[in-house]
Amino acid sequence: MSTPSRPNVVWLAMEDVTPRFGCTGDDVARTPNVDALASEGRRYPNTFCTAPVCAPSRSAVLTGCHQNRIGTHHMRTDTHDREGLPDSYDAVPPHYVTAVTEYFRRAGYFCTLDSKTDYQFGEPFTMWDRHADGAGWWDRERDDQPFFAMFTNGVTHESGMWVPDLTDWRAGGAPDPPETDPDAVDVPPYLPDTDATRRAIARHYDNLAASDAWVGEVLDRLAADGHAEDTVVVLWSDHGEGLPRCKRWPYDSGTNVPLVVRWPGELDGGGVDERLVSLHDLGPTMLDICGLDVPPYVDGQSFLGDAPEREYVVSTRDRYDEEYDMVRSVRGPRYRYVRHYRPGRPYRQWIPYRNCHPATEELLERAASGDLEGAEQWFDDTRPAEELYDLDADPHETENLAGDPAHAAALERLRTALDDWRERVDDLGDVAETELIHSHYEGGDQPTTATPVFVSNAPGNREREPVAGTVELDGPATLSLYCATQGASVGYALGDGSGGDERADGGDGDADGTRWHLYTGPIDLPEGQTTVRGKAIRYGYAESDATSVTVTVEG
């Protein structure tokens, strides 16, 4: 099998996972495949997500931009069902923002996703060559084409801790006990040490073991197909685990995520790099090491290139499901600073989905009876304006030092760092969500991407006027596509759609079997008759109508 001139890329995206692996020193974990991957690559223990919840975090990962810069910071935008909230919508990033995978596609990579999206700005058909359950590098037509393959696995999702404990889901009888011994797990000090919490954590270890098996399956297939040595493998999670005061909160428990990179011949096995990494660094890093230009607008930076190491990482919390909030957090090597923009309000908010967690159910029961030992902070009725934690002395962030004069210098330094960051990204959390929607939605309706038109470069028509319908051209000739919507990405397919794409090596599939190629420049037209179809999408807009032209080129 031929080796591509650029490395391939495989992303293994877990969900709701903090670094509970054998390679991180966890004696309870059963993760031989992740541990083996770390022994062959490099681990980054100080990696943090930009938002401790999935959709905003994924939007940052896939674009390289912080979600608060591009308007994807509210969780989530397209599933509103509560009266009073804005209607469901797709966020509209700045017109120049596109997914990093489009840059890979432009460079000739075959890009696949199996299978979760959840980007907040819709599901642009131009992001992937193939997006489906079971999609992977094996869908290529040419073995010598480099690939970018992203695989997602939801077995470790928060709901994996709570579904068996809910009466509505039991279907009679008690849930099966977890394979992991609940007595063997550690309970963080901000949660009561109870049977319900221990069972939830034990079940999470079981799910981690299942997810580890999935990692092994993907890596085994990569090796069997002869690509283990020419592929960069990156394992990461979208945010921290689903326990109360972890997921949805910008503390280490909600933002510290695993990151393992295996790059044969470039990274020594078993290495540990303590630098601060933000998840929106993933895309720029992959572009950098594959020799592709990194867009100047991204907030992320390459952690494998020449960029200076980060001084801080920033995580945010805005509307999550039913409840609005605005919290910003800066994390440095030693301290974490948290700023609440509406102090005096309770930490606890009404989020029904989160309240399905058995540990949360028990906490709510204890709150009603006044027995909250170990969880007092989360149920405090008056959160402070600022929090500061010394992570060396207090890794679980339970002692707020914001009022301690001994740490005043660190407090002021991190305050300034947050202010500078907010100014640099023009934090859209300052804008009411309804105003943000109104600024993009015309008359309350989602804007629609303009339908592209075709222009030909042929004798007698050197791209002066569009061509449509059925046309005859003298050769040689090329065909270009033009879309009037600023920032639109354009796709094309050859064939009329009746039998699918005539060139099945590209494009995300339509219901009729068409696979859409990413339009990157004029299309060479062969002699004879060719039908070309086109459509376009600006991220956050509705997709354009599809259009077509049939061209006969005379030699």
Side-chain angles (χ1 to χ4, degrees):
M1 182 173 291
S2 60
T3 300
S5 58
R6 287 171 167 155
N8 305 308
V9 177
V10 165
W11 278 6
L12 301 173
M14 307 176 89
E15 292 194 52
D16 300 28
V17 170
T18 49
R20 292 183 184 265
F21 305 120
C23 59
T24 64
D26 193 315
D27 294 333
V28 180
R30 306 187 303 280
T31 54
N33 293 296
V34 173
D35 299 343
L37 185 68
S39 72
E40 298 165 355
R42 182 179 295 173
R43 188 164 55 84
Y44 294 81
N46 291 314
T47 299
F48 299 87
C49 61
T50 58
V53 72
C54 58
S57 175
R58 286 173 184 269
S59 71
V61 171
L62 267 297
T63 63
C65 298
H66 199 286
Q67 66 275 357
N68 288 76
R69 178 195 288 278
I70 63 174
T72 56
H73 49 292
H74 293 298
M75 170 68 189
R76 67 174 35 90
T77 65
D78 63 351
T79 57
H80 293 175
D81 59 1
R82 297 293 181 187
E83 184 177 354
L85 287 176
D87 291 337
S88 294
Y89 68 97
D90 286 336
V92 181
H95 60 85
Y96 46 79
V97 172
T98 54
V100 295
T101 54
E102 283 203 22
Y103 292 97
F104 276 95
R105 291 191 73 189
R106 288 182 179 278
Y109 276 70
F110 188 82
C111 297
T112 61
L113 173 62
D114 177 11
S115 165
K116 184 173 181 177
T117 54
D118 214 11
Y119 317 127
Q120 305 269 69
F121 45 73
E123 298 181 8
F125 74 98
T126 51
M127 286 179 62
W128 307 99
D129 287 288
R130 180 158 169 73
H131 165 218
D133 290 341
W137 62 84
W138 45 83
D139 293 311
R140 297 171 301 159
E141 290 289 314
R142 305 191 332 265
D143 286 343
D144 62 346
Q145 184 179 13
F147 58 81
F148 183 118
M150 178 173 170
F151 300 89
T152 63
N153 181 280
V155 69
T156 49
H157 188 266
E158 165 189 14
S159 56
M161 291 189 193
W162 54 255
V163 167
D165 275 339
L166 282 181
T167 302
D168 291 345
W169 290 76
R170 284 179 180 170
D176 293 335
E179 182 178 342
T180 301
D181 181 2
D183 291 335
V185 307
D186 290 329
V187 178
Y190 45 79
L191 293 177
D193 189 346
T194 66
D195 289 343
T197 300
R198 285 184 171 275
R199 286 199 308 274
I201 296 173
R203 191 168 293 114
H204 185 55
Y205 275 108
D206 289 355
N207 294 335
L208 280 168
S211 192
D212 180 81
W214 162 77
V215 170
E217 291 170 1
V218 177
L219 295 181
D220 285 349
R221 182 160 188 176
L222 190 71
D225 288 351
H227 289 300
E229 296 302 313
D230 58 33
T231 301
V232 180
V233 177
V234 186
L235 179 140
W236 53 277
S237 174
D238 54 357
H239 53 76
E241 62 196 15
L243 288 169
R245 209 251 189 188
C246 296
K247 182 176 179 178
R248 301 180 182 87
W249 284 99
Y251 302 109
D252 271 25
S253 54
T255 62
N256 185 210
V257 295
L259 176 60
V260 179
V261 181
R262 186 184 74 182
W263 188 8
E266 298 292 337
L267 296 180
D268 293 335
V272 177
D273 191 328
E274 299 284 350
R275 77 178 64 202
L276 289 168
V277 177
S278 179
L279 272 191
H280 65 354
D281 295 337
L282 291 182
T285 301
M286 297 302 103
L287 291 169
D288 181 42
I289 66 176
C290 292
L292 308 181
D293 287 340
V294 177
Y297 60 79
V298 300
D299 301 305
Q301 64 183 47
S302 176
F303 57 84
L304 290 174
D306 297 328
E309 293 187 22
R310 289 186 174 276
E311 293 184 74
Y312 311 104
V313 292
V314 178
S315 302
T316 63
R317 169 183 167 92
D318 291 277
R319 178 183 56 74
Y320 289 170
D321 298 351
E322 286 78 5
E323 285 270 8
Y324 282 101
D325 207 348
M326 184 169 171
V327 184
R328 303 289 179 262
S329 182
V330 176
R331 211 278 196 186
R334 177 177 173 184
Y335 290 94
R336 177 180 288 279
Y337 170 69
V338 181
R339 182 184 296 173
H340 298 275
Y341 279 79
R342 299 188 67 185
R345 303 172 71 220
Y347 284 91
R348 178 174 46 137
Q349 294 182 310
W350 184 56
I351 300 179
Y353 188 87
R354 177 208 59 207
N355 294 345
C356 293
H357 196 294
T360 306
E361 284 191 313
E362 183 171 63
L363 281 170
L364 292 169
E365 181 179 343
R366 285 171 169 260
S369 64
D371 179 16
L372 280 171
E373 182 178 358
E376 292 88 351
Q377 180 200 24
W378 194 55
F379 283 86
D380 196 323
D381 288 338
T382 55
R383 68 171 94 170
E386 297 178 303
E387 300 172 36
L388 181 72
Y389 299 100
D390 181 347
L391 299 162
D392 288 346
D394 179 24
H396 289 289
E397 299 161 294
T398 60
E399 184 181 358
N400 183 9
L401 302 174
D404 188 338
H407 300 274
L411 179 65
E412 186 57 35
R413 183 172 67 251
L414 293 173
R415 279 174 176 164
T416 301
L418 180 57
D419 291 339
D420 291 345
W421 175 85
R422 277 175 37 82
E423 181 177 2
R424 185 169 65 253
V425 303
D426 191 18
D427 186 353
L428 288 174
D430 290 343
V431 181
E433 187 174 23
T434 52
E435 295 174 17
L436 195 63
I437 300 169
H438 181 74
S439 68
H440 293 291
Y441 275 41
E442 303 163 357
D445 295 326
Q446 183 181 26
T448 299
T449 311
T451 302
V453 298
F454 302 96
V455 291
S456 68
N457 179 13
N461 185 15
R462 296 297 185 191
E463 298 188 1
R464 292 181 185 144
E465 295 294 334
V467 295
T470 301
V471 295
E472 294 183 0
L473 301 173
D474 293 330
T478 63
L479 194 67
S480 299
L481 285 89
Y482 162 80
C483 180
T485 298
Q486 186 175 14
S489 297
V490 180
Y492 75 95
L494 300 181
D496 61 9
S498 60
D501 188 354
E502 294 174 0
R503 286 191 343 208
D505 60 333
D508 203 5
D510 275 355
D512 63 8
T514 300
R515 288 190 178 184
W516 293 93
H517 307 266
L518 183 67
Y519 176 73
T520 60
I523 303 165
D524 292 328
L525 293 173
E527 290 187 13
Q529 188 177 89
T530 304
T531 297
V532 182
R533 302 170 70 196
K535 65 178 179 177
I537 183 71
R538 174 177 167 182
Y539 288 20
Y541 281 31
E543 192 176 282
S544 79
D545 291 334
T547 187
S548 66
V549 64
T550 298
V551 182
T552 299
V553 177
E554 302 290 343

